[in-house]
Amino acid sequence: MIKYLDLKAVNSLYDEEIRSAVSQVLDSGWYLKGEATRRFEQHYAEYIGTRYCIGCGNGLDALTLIFRAYMEMGVMQQGDEVIVPANTYLASILAITECGLKPVLVEPSWETLQIDDTLIEQAITERTKAVMIVHLYGCCAYTDRIGEICREHGLKLIEDNAQAHGCTYLTPHSSLHTPRKTGSLGDAAGHSFYPTKNLGALGDAGAVTTNDEALARVVEALGNYGSSKKYIFDYLGRNSRMDEIQAAVLDVKLKHLDADNQRRREIAARYQREVTNDRTILRFEGNDQYSRSSLTPRDSVCHILPVLCEHRDELQKYLSANGIETQIHYPIPPHKQHCYPDRNHLSLPVTERIHAQELSIPCNQALTEAETERVVTLLNAFK
C-alpha cells in the first residue's frame, strides 16, 4: 500500500536531529514559554519575512486570536463582516464565527481553485472589515488586485497560511522584486503546524505572523489567559501556547522546509507532465507558471495535490483497490455543513463542483520514484 502521507517516513528523514532537539528540552527542565519557543518564533519570523511571530496552540487558535485582537483594539466589533473563500477548510470560517463576526462566502475561480478576485468587490458592504484569503492546497491565493481592493476600501487582509509554509508570491512582470512569502503579504496571518502540514509538529501547534507591533502584543496576551504581565489580566483570554518540544521540533524541520517543498514540486511536476488521462484534471501551479484568471505568477508548495474527476468516487475506489491511498479535501463544503444551518440554502456552484470532484493523491518528500511512477501508471489506466 502506498500511503497518502506516511508521517513516520517523513519524520524519520530527520530522526537524529529531532531526537537531539527533544532531549535538549527534556534536559532543560523548562517546557512552556522558554528558549526553544523564543528561538523558533525568531527563526520563523525571519523565514516568513515579518517582524513578529507569536506561537500558539494550533492553527484555528491563530486565526481566532487575530480576530479577537482586532476586536480588542476596536478595529472590529461583533456583527462585522469578513469576506472569505467558500472553498476552504471549515477552520477558516470557524475562526470568524467564534468571534461573533459574519463570514461572507465568495466563490473560487475554477482555474485556480482560490478565491476569485473579480468577485470580492461586489461582496463588500458598509459592515465589511476584512478579507481573509486561504492559501489552499499550498498554492498562493494572493493577487495584486486583492491587495488593491483592501487598500482602497480600508480593509484588513488576513491570510490563512495553514497549508502553505514556504510558499511565495512575486509581483508579475518584474524581475526586480524579491519573492515575498505567504504569511507576510497581509496585515496578519495564521499558521498551523498540525503534523500533516509541510512544516509539521509532533502534535498541535500554531503561530501568528505580523508586522503590527500592537496587534502582536494583544495576540500574545490573549493566548496567555489575557495576561501581558504575570497575574495581571487585561483581556478575557485563553490558554493557547506552543510547548517547548513542539517548538524545538519545528525549528529542526524549518531548516529542511525549502528542500522538502522542492521535492514535493518535483513530484507534482512529474504528475502534471506524465498523467495524460483526459478523465482527470491536475491542479498544480508551480514556479513561474501563470494563473489564467489573473495573469500573476503563483507559487505552490504542493501541500495537497488535487485531482479533479467527474467520477471521483469511482477513481478513489479504483486506486484503493490497486494499493494507492487517497483523501478528499473536502467532501462537504462549509456552507453545507450541519453546524451552519443558516447557510445550507446557499447555492455556490463552483465550490460545490470542486468538492464533488476533488481527490488528493500522494505527493510528499518521502514518496519514492517507484511509488510516483505507480501512481502515474494507475491514473493513466483509469477508464
Side-chain angles (χ1 to χ4, degrees), residues 94 128 161 272 360:
L94 283 174
T128 306
N161 200 48
Q272 190 176 48
S360 305

Side-chain angles (χ1 to χ4, degrees), residues 90 94 334 337-342 344:
L90 193 72
L94 283 174
Q337 296 286 353
H338 294 311
C339 60
Y340 288 120
D342 57 328
N344 290 171

Side-chain angles (χ1 to χ4, degrees), residues 20-32 36 39 243-249:
S20 175
V22 171
S23 292
Q24 289 177 39
V25 172
L26 291 174
D27 291 342
S28 75
W30 196 285
Y31 309 123
L32 277 172
R39 183 167 54 246
D243 70 67
E244 289 285 280
I245 289 178
Q246 303 309 331
V249 170

Side-chain angles (χ1 to χ4, degrees), residues 172-239:
H173 313 304
S174 174
S175 59
L176 301 178
H177 291 79
T178 302
R180 296 167 58 198
K181 285 192 170 61
T182 55
S184 70
L185 302 172
D187 295 285
H191 307 253
S192 168
F193 304 119
Y194 186 75
T196 61
K197 306 301 186 186
N198 290 32
L199 182 59
L202 300 186
D204 268 327
V208 172
T209 55
T210 184
N211 287 317
D212 186 333
E213 182 179 3
L215 178 71
R217 288 178 176 175
V218 178
V219 165
E220 185 171 21
L222 284 169
N224 188 34
Y225 298 100
S227 172
S228 56
K229 187 176 181 181
K230 193 170 184 178
Y231 300 136
I232 297 176
F233 303 92
D234 301 311
Y235 313 103
L236 296 174
R238 64 172 65 192
N239 177 8

Side-chain angles (χ1 to χ4, degrees), residues 216-277:
R217 288 178 176 175
V218 178
V219 165
E220 185 171 21
L222 284 169
N224 188 34
Y225 298 100
S227 172
S228 56
K229 187 176 181 181
K230 193 170 184 178
Y231 300 136
I232 297 176
F233 303 92
D234 301 311
Y235 313 103
L236 296 174
R238 64 172 65 192
N239 177 8
S240 181
R241 298 174 296 198
M242 179 185 295
D243 70 67
E244 289 285 280
I245 289 178
Q246 303 309 331
V249 170
L250 290 168
D251 206 42
V252 167
K253 297 177 76 173
L254 180 60
K255 301 171 188 175
H256 303 283
L257 178 59
D258 287 344
D260 288 344
N261 285 343
Q262 182 56 32
R263 177 59 185 149
R264 285 172 175 261
R265 291 189 188 99
E266 291 168 358
I267 293 169
R270 181 177 180 185
Y271 283 142
Q272 190 176 48
R273 184 174 61 249
E274 297 183 13
V275 175
T276 57
N277 190 337

